[in-house]
Amino acid sequence: MQLIGRVRLFSRNRNLVVEAKNAPPIGEKVYDEKAMLVGYVYDVIGPVSSPFVLVKVDASRWKPESLVGKMLYWTGNTSRTGDQARRKKPKGKK
């Protein structure tokens, strides 16, 4: 698993705001340090040099305020993410 970063705060709509060292693609699952599923990446905001990741928390399992200050992780599968996944080349054409 790869580190995303530390949770700085939670927003009014109950998303976690994570100061990212590593910004995963939108939709990726997010885990805590014990590999428990926390939620998923909702959005990535801010400058490219120091982005913030918004994480939509699974409210049935977690209280977002309890996660402030914790480190969050993702699986780190970067094989085909983001624009690469949307820009598949048709087979047989170059």
Side-chain angles (χ1 to χ4, degrees):
M1 293 208 313
Q2 290 188 13
L3 176 68
I4 297 173
R6 184 175 303 277
V7 178
R8 291 296 173 198
L9 55 98
F10 68 100
S11 65
R12 279 186 262 167
N13 54 357
R14 305 188 66 79
N15 290 328
L16 297 176
V17 178
V18 182
E19 187 175 359
K21 300 202 183 296
N22 214 354
I26 294 172
E28 285 290 326
K29 292 180 181 177
V30 176
Y31 302 90
D32 69 355
E33 59 272 346
K34 296 179 182 175
M36 299 284 293
L37 182 64
V38 171
Y40 65 93
V41 176
Y42 180 72
D43 203 358
V44 179
I45 60 174
V48 173
S49 60
S50 58
F52 290 89
V53 175
L54 300 180
V55 176
K56 183 67 86 177
V57 178
D58 180 2
S60 66
R61 302 173 94 186
W62 298 95
K63 290 183 180 180
E65 55 272 12
S66 70
L67 295 165
V68 173
K70 305 278 186 187
M71 300 299 269
L72 296 182
Y73 302 84
W74 67 297
T75 56
N77 183 5
T78 59
S79 58
R80 289 187 57 81
T81 58
D83 288 337
Q84 290 177 347
R86 288 188 293 271
R87 295 184 191 171
K88 291 181 185 176
K89 292 182 181 178
K91 292 183 179 182
K93 293 187 178 181
K94 294 183 180 181

